[in-house]
Amino acid sequence: MLWVDKYRPKTLDKVIVHQDVAQNLRKLVSEGDCPHLLFYGPPGSGKKTLIMALLRQIFGPSADKVKVENKIWKVDAGTRTIDVELTTLSSTHHVELNPSDAGFQDRYVVQEIIKEMAKNRPIDTKGKKGFKVLVLNEVDKLSREAQHSLRRTMEKYSASCRLILCSNSSSKVTEAVRSRCLNVRINAPMEEEIVSVLEFIAKKEGLQFPQGFAARIVEKSNRNLRRAVLTFESCRVQQYPFTNNQTVPPMDWEQYVSEIASDIMKEQSPKRLFEVRGKLYELLTNCIPPEIILKRLLFELLKKLDSELKHEVTNWAAHYEHRMRLGQKAIFHLEAFVAKFMSIYKSFLISTFG
Amino acid sequence: MENHILLCRPFHLPISRQKYSKEHFREREIGEAMDMEFPDAAELEWLEANATYPDEQEDDLEFDDDFLQQPPSPPGSEQIASQPDPKPTLSLPPKPSLLKPQLPINNRKRFLPDDPELSSDDGNVVVITEEKRSRVEDNDEDWLRYSPPKQPEEDGPMVVEQEPEPEEKILAKYALEIDGDCTPVTGLDGERVYAKICRVEDERVKKLEVKEYSTGLIQEPVRALMQRVEHDQFTKVLEASSEDLSEANLPIGAVVNEKLWVDKYAPSSFTELLSDEQTNRQVLMWLKQWDSCVFGVEIKSTTDDVLSSLKRHSLAVQHPRRSSKSSFGNSRGPRIDNENAHNDLHPENSDSDRMKDLWDKKHRKSGPPEQKILLLCGPPGLGKTTLAHVAAQHCGYRVVEINASDDRSSASIEAKIHDVVQMNSVNADSKPKCLVIDEIDGALNDGKGAVEVILKLVSAERKLRAGKENEPEGGNAGQKSSKKKHQKTSLLRPVICICNDLYAPALRPLRQVAKVHIFVQPTVSRVVNRLKYICNRERVKTSSIALTALAEYTDCDIRSCLNTLQFLNKKKETLNVLELSSQVVGRKDATRSAFDIWKEILQKRKVKQSKKSFNCFSSVSNDFETLHSLISHRGDYDLIFDGIHENLLQLHYTDPVMQKTVQCSDILGYSDIFHQYTMRTQHLSLQVYQSPLAMSIHGLVAQIGKPNIEWPKSFQRYRTMSIEKKEILHSWKNKIPPSISRHLSTKSFVEDLISPFLHILSPSTLKPVALHLLSEKEKADLAQLVNTMVSYATTYKNIKSDPSRFMHHGASDVSMLSLDPPIGEFINFKGYDSCHIVLASAVKVFLVHEAERQKILQGSSNLHSPSTGAESQEVLRCENSSTMSKASASLDKTTHFRDPSRQKQFDLPSASGQNKRSAGGTTASGKVGLPEGKKKQFVDSRSFFDRFRKPSDKTPQGNDHAKLKQKLEERDSRPLLFKFNEGYTNAVKRPVRIHEFLK
């Protein structure tokens, strides 16, 4: 097991980061009434961990015993039946599912499958809880229609079923859904918090690390707790005892993006743009989401840029990201951003250096 | 061609004399039939002169020869005739060697049109009996009037002169009256006259030349000849048309105009084809390669020099079949003489000959061409169909056409193709067929049917050939295989397919097997020349500028040009250069291939100087129009923009601060958003606005230089690859136990997990040494690593080495171990050097072993440790005792079931035996053989008295179960005893858990 999994807090008492949230959640459970919840926050901040701990708090250790089921649901959609394949992860008390996996058919997942699950009252009424929990992951990726279909389900079956929604950004969850939930914001842990987590792990593993080493890892981790722990472990594997100047292995794709950025800075021409396109395709092919590429690329470019251009470039990056989300072919927009940057940068160079 | 004009003048004979002579003749015919010199011949000639004259000139020639041999004319007249005749009879001085007697007639002249295309002979002799004059005259008048429609291809205008010429005599009572050669002619009623023989000399020479060409005896290459002939034709035509247009009185009837010019002036011979010379020749070449197969004879005339001259122009041809002596395939049906091959017909080969031929064939590979199907493609109106027809006819085939109007379902077309392609017609004299499948790309499903059938035929042929190669060589084998050939279906006739869009999806398989010829536009000058010629023939006044403009406007679509011209002619309008677009009738609504569209967008059209001079402005708007219509006709905007995106950055446009590039990529982005929006909202009418987007790109970056356009592959590749990789991630995630995987999404895999995970999996400290040599700490590390591997369901697997993937370490290994869900690939970006340490393969092997062990141990400990919680205990119980409990349950059941029956058969002597047997049977069915003794005991305890104890036993079911379980536990704890029974498979069987071995 990786340390990420090994030292993942299993209960709400043991959490190190977001202790205040955990406190509130515990209170919520102890009062016996749990509303619908919407957890949102950046990746690697501990949403899932909190949710699992919460489930354990509600249902006891039996919530940990889960089994995976891959099932094809037959959904009757008016004139035809649609087969929707969905993987669910369920214990006796709760079901976890990722409705956005169904792609454009997510509406049917919400309308039929979730409704079906929500309708059925839990069989084990002897237990202390009279409701079951549905955990829906990546709600922000649900289509608008699916989210609309979710609203009524949330209200109608709230007696027997609680929904726990989990998403990266609350802005992509419709107002209607948000207002039906208790919103729990899980922000990215502060750097000090991450350092304390690393220290906790080091203590458990019996490791010593020099001053500032943890801070370096955390700095690289972009306030992503999971990444920090993983990086820490990889450092441990590569070299132990730690030294102060030990290289912290970077994320490969981030490294690649920074290579692209330096390519862009070196030369601005359609030919270079074509090379950049090839590299962007490489990243996209390896399932790196285009938004993240764009964000990272901007980040890398800003590092190398004069401050007077930063504002403009950021503005354009936002512009192209917006268009990317409107459109379909991410590469067009990524490339358009790169072209725009090249143009801005080149004219800047010409104006300053003649 | 020269115009031959023979003047005929009406006789001025008194009718009474005519009548008299008729009667007189008849009497003489009866009485003095024997005296007639050539009564039959004359009669025949007379008939022909009246009825079938223009078509049967060959016969006339024979008669002429007959007459020549018979010397009725004084030798002195030859001299006279050889003098050029100054009078307007227009009969030219004949060549001395081919002289014919000429008979002057007192006051009548007749002139015959000569058909340059059809006539194989030229010595037009007019022999007219004066008795039938009046009737003949009428006939002739009619005939003259209707002759033009009969011969639409006639080149020169025909002049009819009607003014009398009293001096010249063609037909006379006495030979002396005739000036020049003459021949005696006897009419039906017996009267003899002498007819003047006049002929035209240069015509004959030309005919001979033509003949020479067809027999292939000339020294000049075909190409030169063809060029010359073509050139001659054109110059003549031009001359003729420029001479005078005064032949307005030529009686071209209404019949002519009803025919479409397109049909009327369709080329009927190979030399008249307008399409690209090289393509024409390649097609002809390909057809010629069939000769040995189809006609069964080698064509001497198309041997070496001709073929090589053809080959010189058809560069793409791979294996030109030289004609060899062998005549393979002559056993197939009757031999058909080719028009080009009349000089050597092989006699029927004997069997041994044929075997030899087969042998020959194997070595020389003479036979049908490698690619059995010819695929002609190109935009409409360039003459693909015409070429196919003309070429096939030229090579002596009868064309069978299947086009979109026919039923093209798979079944019906198959029958048709089989008919055409595999059968020879019964009549020996009929020509072999050549299949032309027109518009094969037409309808999607229909075209597919045809394509499938053809592919089936081709593949059958391939198999056959392959089979033949394998067969041992030799006489018998050869014969057998030739027999086989008859049975199997194979292509024996050329098949020409015609399509407009080569890249139609239905044609994809066909493209691979067929020989593809892409039609290019004929040069404008060629088209204009032909148009001019036709205009002259039709007496339409045009200017070559207008025609050039027309040809350019229609993209050299000659059909469209002709239709337009004819239409305008009907409307009595003239072609106007400035209003061309409004005048052209059938503007092509052709969808061009995506490649063409990309080319149009990315390439600027060369603006001709002339065009620029008079309307620069309109040409710009013209370009705009054409581009717009082009793009919107195609409609597949998604693809178009993909293509633009793919090729945009390869263009060489000047762009100092990347302004244009930014604009273009912005436009591409817009189109993407646009597309997404229209698709989402289904407002498809908004698609109209896509084409202006493409056009603005054209305005920004179009260059005059020819762009190197590629099909947009990278986007598709990206799509498929990313789907593939997502699938890998998904399956990996599913393999990871849920307690871990529930915290991860596939997105976080690539973003956060994989890079550090790979680091963790390949620690640099790990040494490939035996386990007992490691220190405690190293052992702990190793255990941790193995644990991680197991929990994340990764392992190493043997794969074929891919040098591109593992460049940095020993690519020399044939196969090497790599991570099983191929996670390593996710960080293998092109041109990126990751700093991951790659473990030595020895370590990997070791790790795999350890991981497997760990997995097994984990699995078994999961089952056996009682401390894993309620659930696992349940599983344990279920797993551990499932087989046993099943067995015991079945045992119980059978005994319960048997009890009543046993009670009935209480006294049966076989009871105990049966009991035993049944007990044995149940244990066998339980699959778990209990130890022998226990079984015995079990059975014994139930044997006789137990029966009465049963009810009491049955009630405490759980008790029974517990007892059984106890027994099982007892058994499990017992040490193993194996007894090996030599030669038996029913050795002692006992379930053994792996952990017992691993302890």
Side-chain angles (χ1 to χ4, degrees), chain A residues 101-118:
Chain A
D101 278 353
F104 60 92
Q105 290 170 334
D106 55 0
R107 190 157 57 97
Y108 302 112
V109 174
V110 172
Q111 283 174 349
E112 303 289 330
I113 299 170
I114 293 180
K115 206 159 129 189
E116 195 64 39
M117 285 173 175

mmCIF file with all atom_site columns, all heavy atoms in Angstrom, chain A residues 101-118:
data_model
loop_
_atom_site.group_PDB
_atom_site.id
_atom_site.type_symbol
_atom_site.label_atom_id
_atom_site.label_alt_id
_atom_site.label_comp_id
_atom_site.label_asym_id
_atom_site.label_entity_id
_atom_site.label_seq_id
_atom_site.pdbx_PDB_ins_code
_atom_site.Cartn_x
_atom_site.Cartn_y
_atom_site.Cartn_z
_atom_site.occupancy
_atom_site.B_iso_or_equiv
_atom_site.pdbx_formal_charge
_atom_site.auth_seq_id
_atom_site.auth_comp_id
_atom_site.auth_asym_id
_atom_site.auth_atom_id
_atom_site.pdbx_PDB_model_num
ATOM 1   N N   . ASP A 1 101 ? -19.833 9.143  -15.937 1.00 0.00 ? 101 ASP A N   1
ATOM 2   C CA  . ASP A 1 101 ? -19.196 8.129  -16.774 1.00 0.00 ? 101 ASP A CA  1
ATOM 3   C C   . ASP A 1 101 ? -20.059 7.762  -17.962 1.00 0.00 ? 101 ASP A C   1
ATOM 4   O O   . ASP A 1 101 ? -19.554 7.309  -18.989 1.00 0.00 ? 101 ASP A O   1
ATOM 5   C CB  . ASP A 1 101 ? -18.948 6.851  -15.959 1.00 0.00 ? 101 ASP A CB  1
ATOM 6   C CG  . ASP A 1 101 ? -17.691 6.975  -15.134 1.00 0.00 ? 101 ASP A CG  1
ATOM 7   O OD1 . ASP A 1 101 ? -16.982 7.977  -15.322 1.00 0.00 ? 101 ASP A OD1 1
ATOM 8   O OD2 . ASP A 1 101 ? -17.429 6.095  -14.312 1.00 0.00 ? 101 ASP A OD2 1
ATOM 9   N N   . ALA A 1 102 ? -21.345 7.944  -17.795 1.00 0.00 ? 102 ALA A N   1
ATOM 10  C CA  . ALA A 1 102 ? -22.251 7.554  -18.875 1.00 0.00 ? 102 ALA A CA  1
ATOM 11  C C   . ALA A 1 102 ? -22.221 8.544  -20.023 1.00 0.00 ? 102 ALA A C   1
ATOM 12  O O   . ALA A 1 102 ? -22.931 8.374  -21.011 1.00 0.00 ? 102 ALA A O   1
ATOM 13  C CB  . ALA A 1 102 ? -23.670 7.421  -18.351 1.00 0.00 ? 102 ALA A CB  1
ATOM 14  N N   . GLY A 1 103 ? -21.430 9.564  -19.897 1.00 0.00 ? 103 GLY A N   1
ATOM 15  C CA  . GLY A 1 103 ? -21.289 10.529 -20.985 1.00 0.00 ? 103 GLY A CA  1
ATOM 16  C C   . GLY A 1 103 ? -22.569 11.283 -21.226 1.00 0.00 ? 103 GLY A C   1
ATOM 17  O O   . GLY A 1 103 ? -23.191 11.780 -20.283 1.00 0.00 ? 103 GLY A O   1
ATOM 18  N N   . PHE A 1 104 ? -22.965 11.326 -22.468 1.00 0.00 ? 104 PHE A N   1
ATOM 19  C CA  . PHE A 1 104 ? -24.160 12.114 -22.770 1.00 0.00 ? 104 PHE A CA  1
ATOM 20  C C   . PHE A 1 104 ? -25.448 11.422 -22.344 1.00 0.00 ? 104 PHE A C   1
ATOM 21  O O   . PHE A 1 104 ? -26.526 11.966 -22.467 1.00 0.00 ? 104 PHE A O   1
ATOM 22  C CB  . PHE A 1 104 ? -24.206 12.450 -24.262 1.00 0.00 ? 104 PHE A CB  1
ATOM 23  C CG  . PHE A 1 104 ? -24.230 11.244 -25.142 1.00 0.00 ? 104 PHE A CG  1
ATOM 24  C CD1 . PHE A 1 104 ? -25.438 10.704 -25.549 1.00 0.00 ? 104 PHE A CD1 1
ATOM 25  C CD2 . PHE A 1 104 ? -23.050 10.647 -25.571 1.00 0.00 ? 104 PHE A CD2 1
ATOM 26  C CE1 . PHE A 1 104 ? -25.472 9.598  -26.363 1.00 0.00 ? 104 PHE A CE1 1
ATOM 27  C CE2 . PHE A 1 104 ? -23.084 9.534  -26.381 1.00 0.00 ? 104 PHE A CE2 1
ATOM 28  C CZ  . PHE A 1 104 ? -24.291 9.007  -26.779 1.00 0.00 ? 104 PHE A CZ  1
ATOM 29  N N   . GLN A 1 105 ? -25.300 10.201 -21.869 1.00 0.00 ? 105 GLN A N   1
ATOM 30  C CA  . GLN A 1 105 ? -26.495 9.506  -21.393 1.00 0.00 ? 105 GLN A CA  1
ATOM 31  C C   . GLN A 1 105 ? -26.684 9.683  -19.895 1.00 0.00 ? 105 GLN A C   1
ATOM 32  O O   . GLN A 1 105 ? -27.490 8.980  -19.289 1.00 0.00 ? 105 GLN A O   1
ATOM 33  C CB  . GLN A 1 105 ? -26.390 8.023  -21.722 1.00 0.00 ? 105 GLN A CB  1
ATOM 34  C CG  . GLN A 1 105 ? -26.522 7.767  -23.212 1.00 0.00 ? 105 GLN A CG  1
ATOM 35  C CD  . GLN A 1 105 ? -26.187 6.356  -23.572 1.00 0.00 ? 105 GLN A CD  1
ATOM 36  O OE1 . GLN A 1 105 ? -25.433 5.695  -22.890 1.00 0.00 ? 105 GLN A OE1 1
ATOM 37  N NE2 . GLN A 1 105 ? -26.760 5.886  -24.655 1.00 0.00 ? 105 GLN A NE2 1
ATOM 38  N N   . ASP A 1 106 ? -25.942 10.628 -19.318 1.00 0.00 ? 106 ASP A N   1
ATOM 39  C CA  . ASP A 1 106 ? -26.009 10.775 -17.871 1.00 0.00 ? 106 ASP A CA  1
ATOM 40  C C   . ASP A 1 106 ? -27.406 11.144 -17.391 1.00 0.00 ? 106 ASP A C   1
ATOM 41  O O   . ASP A 1 106 ? -27.787 10.844 -16.270 1.00 0.00 ? 106 ASP A O   1
ATOM 42  C CB  . ASP A 1 106 ? -24.977 11.811 -17.397 1.00 0.00 ? 106 ASP A CB  1
ATOM 43  C CG  . ASP A 1 106 ? -25.142 13.141 -18.101 1.00 0.00 ? 106 ASP A CG  1
ATOM 44  O OD1 . ASP A 1 106 ? -26.047 13.243 -18.951 1.00 0.00 ? 106 ASP A OD1 1
ATOM 45  O OD2 . ASP A 1 106 ? -24.369 14.070 -17.812 1.00 0.00 ? 106 ASP A OD2 1
ATOM 46  N N   . ARG A 1 107 ? -28.144 11.748 -18.292 1.00 0.00 ? 107 ARG A N   1
ATOM 47  C CA  . ARG A 1 107 ? -29.513 12.106 -17.930 1.00 0.00 ? 107 ARG A CA  1
ATOM 48  C C   . ARG A 1 107 ? -30.320 10.873 -17.528 1.00 0.00 ? 107 ARG A C   1
ATOM 49  O O   . ARG A 1 107 ? -31.074 10.877 -16.569 1.00 0.00 ? 107 ARG A O   1
ATOM 50  C CB  . ARG A 1 107 ? -30.167 12.776 -19.132 1.00 0.00 ? 107 ARG A CB  1
ATOM 51  C CG  . ARG A 1 107 ? -31.497 13.411 -18.862 1.00 0.00 ? 107 ARG A CG  1
ATOM 52  C CD  . ARG A 1 107 ? -31.748 14.457 -19.903 1.00 0.00 ? 107 ARG A CD  1
ATOM 53  N NE  . ARG A 1 107 ? -31.684 13.908 -21.250 1.00 0.00 ? 107 ARG A NE  1
ATOM 54  C CZ  . ARG A 1 107 ? -32.761 13.539 -21.946 1.00 0.00 ? 107 ARG A CZ  1
ATOM 55  N NH1 . ARG A 1 107 ? -33.948 13.647 -21.406 1.00 0.00 ? 107 ARG A NH1 1
ATOM 56  N NH2 . ARG A 1 107 ? -32.639 13.076 -23.151 1.00 0.00 ? 107 ARG A NH2 1
ATOM 57  N N   . TYR A 1 108 ? -30.101 9.792  -18.286 1.00 0.00 ? 108 TYR A N   1
ATOM 58  C CA  . TYR A 1 108 ? -30.854 8.570  -17.997 1.00 0.00 ? 108 TYR A CA  1
ATOM 59  C C   . TYR A 1 108 ? -30.395 7.960  -16.692 1.00 0.00 ? 108 TYR A C   1
ATOM 60  O O   . TYR A 1 108 ? -31.188 7.369  -15.957 1.00 0.00 ? 108 TYR A O   1
ATOM 61  C CB  . TYR A 1 108 ? -30.696 7.576  -19.142 1.00 0.00 ? 108 TYR A CB  1
ATOM 62  C CG  . TYR A 1 108 ? -31.165 8.149  -20.443 1.00 0.00 ? 108 TYR A CG  1
ATOM 63  C CD1 . TYR A 1 108 ? -30.281 8.426  -21.467 1.00 0.00 ? 108 TYR A CD1 1
ATOM 64  C CD2 . TYR A 1 108 ? -32.508 8.445  -20.625 1.00 0.00 ? 108 TYR A CD2 1
ATOM 65  C CE1 . TYR A 1 108 ? -30.717 8.981  -22.649 1.00 0.00 ? 108 TYR A CE1 1
ATOM 66  C CE2 . TYR A 1 108 ? -32.957 8.995  -21.802 1.00 0.00 ? 108 TYR A CE2 1
ATOM 67  C CZ  . TYR A 1 108 ? -32.053 9.266  -22.811 1.00 0.00 ? 108 TYR A CZ  1
ATOM 68  O OH  . TYR A 1 108 ? -32.488 9.824  -23.970 1.00 0.00 ? 108 TYR A OH  1
ATOM 69  N N   . VAL A 1 109 ? -29.107 8.110  -16.427 1.00 0.00 ? 109 VAL A N   1
ATOM 70  C CA  . VAL A 1 109 ? -28.602 7.588  -15.162 1.00 0.00 ? 109 VAL A CA  1
ATOM 71  C C   . VAL A 1 109 ? -29.323 8.280  -14.020 1.00 0.00 ? 109 VAL A C   1
ATOM 72  O O   . VAL A 1 109 ? -29.812 7.639  -13.078 1.00 0.00 ? 109 VAL A O   1
ATOM 73  C CB  . VAL A 1 109 ? -27.080 7.822  -15.064 1.00 0.00 ? 109 VAL A CB  1
ATOM 74  C CG1 . VAL A 1 109 ? -26.581 7.407  -13.690 1.00 0.00 ? 109 VAL A CG1 1
ATOM 75  C CG2 . VAL A 1 109 ? -26.349 7.054  -16.130 1.00 0.00 ? 109 VAL A CG2 1
ATOM 76  N N   . VAL A 1 110 ? -29.408 9.599  -14.121 1.00 0.00 ? 110 VAL A N   1
ATOM 77  C CA  . VAL A 1 110 ? -30.037 10.339 -13.037 1.00 0.00 ? 110 VAL A CA  1
ATOM 78  C C   . VAL A 1 110 ? -31.532 10.031 -12.978 1.00 0.00 ? 110 VAL A C   1
ATOM 79  O O   . VAL A 1 110 ? -32.086 9.747  -11.919 1.00 0.00 ? 110 VAL A O   1
ATOM 80  C CB  . VAL A 1 110 ? -29.783 11.847 -13.233 1.00 0.00 ? 110 VAL A CB  1
ATOM 81  C CG1 . VAL A 1 110 ? -30.594 12.634 -12.222 1.00 0.00 ? 110 VAL A CG1 1
ATOM 82  C CG2 . VAL A 1 110 ? -28.326 12.147 -13.079 1.00 0.00 ? 110 VAL A CG2 1
ATOM 83  N N   . GLN A 1 111 ? -32.144 10.052 -14.151 1.00 0.00 ? 111 GLN A N   1
ATOM 84  C CA  . GLN A 1 111 ? -33.603 9.925  -14.167 1.00 0.00 ? 111 GLN A CA  1
ATOM 85  C C   . GLN A 1 111 ? -34.068 8.539  -13.764 1.00 0.00 ? 111 GLN A C   1
ATOM 86  O O   . GLN A 1 111 ? -35.097 8.387  -13.122 1.00 0.00 ? 111 GLN A O   1
ATOM 87  C CB  . GLN A 1 111 ? -34.131 10.247 -15.556 1.00 0.00 ? 111 GLN A CB  1
ATOM 88  C CG  . GLN A 1 111 ? -34.148 11.738 -15.839 1.00 0.00 ? 111 GLN A CG  1
ATOM 89  C CD  . GLN A 1 111 ? -34.545 12.024 -17.261 1.00 0.00 ? 111 GLN A CD  1
ATOM 90  O OE1 . GLN A 1 111 ? -34.609 11.113 -18.083 1.00 0.00 ? 111 GLN A OE1 1
ATOM 91  N NE2 . GLN A 1 111 ? -34.788 13.277 -17.548 1.00 0.00 ? 111 GLN A NE2 1
ATOM 92  N N   . GLU A 1 112 ? -33.331 7.550  -14.171 1.00 0.00 ? 112 GLU A N   1
ATOM 93  C CA  . GLU A 1 112 ? -33.807 6.195  -13.935 1.00 0.00 ? 112 GLU A CA  1
ATOM 94  C C   . GLU A 1 112 ? -33.076 5.509  -12.787 1.00 0.00 ? 112 GLU A C   1
ATOM 95  O O   . GLU A 1 112 ? -33.695 5.067  -11.831 1.00 0.00 ? 112 GLU A O   1
ATOM 96  C CB  . GLU A 1 112 ? -33.651 5.371  -15.218 1.00 0.00 ? 112 GLU A CB  1
ATOM 97  C CG  . GLU A 1 112 ? -34.371 5.942  -16.419 1.00 0.00 ? 112 GLU A CG  1
ATOM 98  C CD  . GLU A 1 112 ? -35.883 5.818  -16.303 1.00 0.00 ? 112 GLU A CD  1
ATOM 99  O OE1 . GLU A 1 112 ? -36.339 4.853  -15.661 1.00 0.00 ? 112 GLU A OE1 1
ATOM 100 O OE2 . GLU A 1 112 ? -36.588 6.686  -16.835 1.00 0.00 ? 112 GLU A OE2 1
ATOM 101 N N   . ILE A 1 113 ? -31.775 5.466  -12.916 1.00 0.00 ? 113 ILE A N   1
ATOM 102 C CA  . ILE A 1 113 ? -31.037 4.613  -11.990 1.00 0.00 ? 113 ILE A CA  1
ATOM 103 C C   . ILE A 1 113 ? -31.012 5.221  -10.593 1.00 0.00 ? 113 ILE A C   1
ATOM 104 O O   . ILE A 1 113 ? -31.344 4.558  -9.606  1.00 0.00 ? 113 ILE A O   1
ATOM 105 C CB  . ILE A 1 113 ? -29.604 4.383  -12.513 1.00 0.00 ? 113 ILE A CB  1
ATOM 106 C CG1 . ILE A 1 113 ? -29.667 3.676  -13.873 1.00 0.00 ? 113 ILE A CG1 1
ATOM 107 C CG2 . ILE A 1 113 ? -28.808 3.557  -11.534 1.00 0.00 ? 113 ILE A CG2 1
ATOM 108 C CD1 . ILE A 1 113 ? -28.373 3.613  -14.591 1.00 0.00 ? 113 ILE A CD1 1
ATOM 109 N N   . ILE A 1 114 ? -30.651 6.496  -10.546 1.00 0.00 ? 114 ILE A N   1
ATOM 110 C CA  . ILE A 1 114 ? -30.567 7.125  -9.232  1.00 0.00 ? 114 ILE A CA  1
ATOM 111 C C   . ILE A 1 114 ? -31.950 7.174  -8.587  1.00 0.00 ? 114 ILE A C   1
ATOM 112 O O   . ILE A 1 114 ? -32.117 6.928  -7.400  1.00 0.00 ? 114 ILE A O   1
ATOM 113 C CB  . ILE A 1 114 ? -29.945 8.525  -9.358  1.00 0.00 ? 114 ILE A CB  1
ATOM 114 C CG1 . ILE A 1 114 ? -28.488 8.390  -9.784  1.00 0.00 ? 114 ILE A CG1 1
ATOM 115 C CG2 . ILE A 1 114 ? -30.046 9.293  -8.058  1.00 0.00 ? 114 ILE A CG2 1
ATOM 116 C CD1 . ILE A 1 114 ? -27.766 9.674  -9.952  1.00 0.00 ? 114 ILE A CD1 1
ATOM 117 N N   . LYS A 1 115 ? -32.917 7.451  -9.398  1.00 0.00 ? 115 LYS A N   1
ATOM 118 C CA  . LYS A 1 115 ? -34.285 7.495  -8.884  1.00 0.00 ? 115 LYS A CA  1
ATOM 119 C C   . LYS A 1 115 ? -34.681 6.134  -8.325  1.00 0.00 ? 115 LYS A C   1
ATOM 120 O O   . LYS A 1 115 ? -35.270 6.035  -7.241  1.00 0.00 ? 115 LYS A O   1
ATOM 121 C CB  . LYS A 1 115 ? -35.225 7.891  -10.017 1.00 0.00 ? 115 LYS A CB  1
ATOM 122 C CG  . LYS A 1 115 ? -36.492 8.554  -9.539  1.00 0.00 ? 115 LYS A CG  1
ATOM 123 C CD  . LYS A 1 115 ? -37.078 9.346  -10.673 1.00 0.00 ? 115 LYS A CD  1
ATOM 124 C CE  . LYS A 1 115 ? -38.523 9.004  -10.877 1.00 0.00 ? 115 LYS A CE  1
ATOM 125 N NZ  . LYS A 1 115 ? -39.007 9.632  -12.119 1.00 0.00 ? 115 LYS A NZ  1
ATOM 126 N N   . GLU A 1 116 ? -34.321 5.126  -9.074  1.00 0.00 ? 116 GLU A N   1
ATOM 127 C CA  . GLU A 1 116 ? -34.652 3.772  -8.650  1.00 0.00 ? 116 GLU A CA  1
ATOM 128 C C   . GLU A 1 116 ? -33.996 3.443  -7.316  1.00 0.00 ? 116 GLU A C   1
ATOM 129 O O   . GLU A 1 116 ? -34.618 2.893  -6.402  1.00 0.00 ? 116 GLU A O   1
ATOM 130 C CB  . GLU A 1 116 ? -34.180 2.806  -9.743  1.00 0.00 ? 116 GLU A CB  1
ATOM 131 C CG  . GLU A 1 116 ? -34.743 1.412  -9.646  1.00 0.00 ? 116 GLU A CG  1
ATOM 132 C CD  . GLU A 1 116 ? -36.264 1.419  -9.831  1.00 0.00 ? 116 GLU A CD  1
ATOM 133 O OE1 . GLU A 1 116 ? -36.747 2.185  -10.675 1.00 0.00 ? 116 GLU A OE1 1
ATOM 134 O OE2 . GLU A 1 116 ? -36.955 0.669  -9.105  1.00 0.00 ? 116 GLU A OE2 1
ATOM 135 N N   . MET A 1 117 ? -32.731 3.836  -7.225  1.00 0.00 ? 117 MET A N   1
ATOM 136 C CA  . MET A 1 117 ? -32.008 3.560  -5.995  1.00 0.00 ? 117 MET A CA  1
ATOM 137 C C   . MET A 1 117 ? -32.587 4.370  -4.823  1.00 0.00 ? 117 MET A C   1
ATOM 138 O O   . MET A 1 117 ? -32.690 3.883  -3.702  1.00 0.00 ? 117 MET A O   1
ATOM 139 C CB  . MET A 1 117 ? -30.535 3.942  -6.156  1.00 0.00 ? 117 MET A CB  1
ATOM 140 C CG  . MET A 1 117 ? -29.758 2.971  -6.999  1.00 0.00 ? 117 MET A CG  1
ATOM 141 S SD  . MET A 1 117 ? -28.123 3.641  -7.289  1.00 0.00 ? 117 MET A SD  1
ATOM 142 C CE  . MET A 1 117 ? -27.372 2.289  -8.138  1.00 0.00 ? 117 MET A CE  1
ATOM 143 N N   . ALA A 1 118 ? -32.921 5.604  -5.122  1.00 0.00 ? 118 ALA A N   1
ATOM 144 C CA  . ALA A 1 118 ? -33.415 6.472  -4.067  1.00 0.00 ? 118 ALA A CA  1
ATOM 145 C C   . ALA A 1 118 ? -34.777 6.013  -3.570  1.00 0.00 ? 118 ALA A C   1
ATOM 146 O O   . ALA A 1 118 ? -35.110 6.147  -2.390  1.00 0.00 ? 118 ALA A O   1
ATOM 147 C CB  . ALA A 1 118 ? -33.493 7.907  -4.586  1.00 0.00 ? 118 ALA A CB  1
#
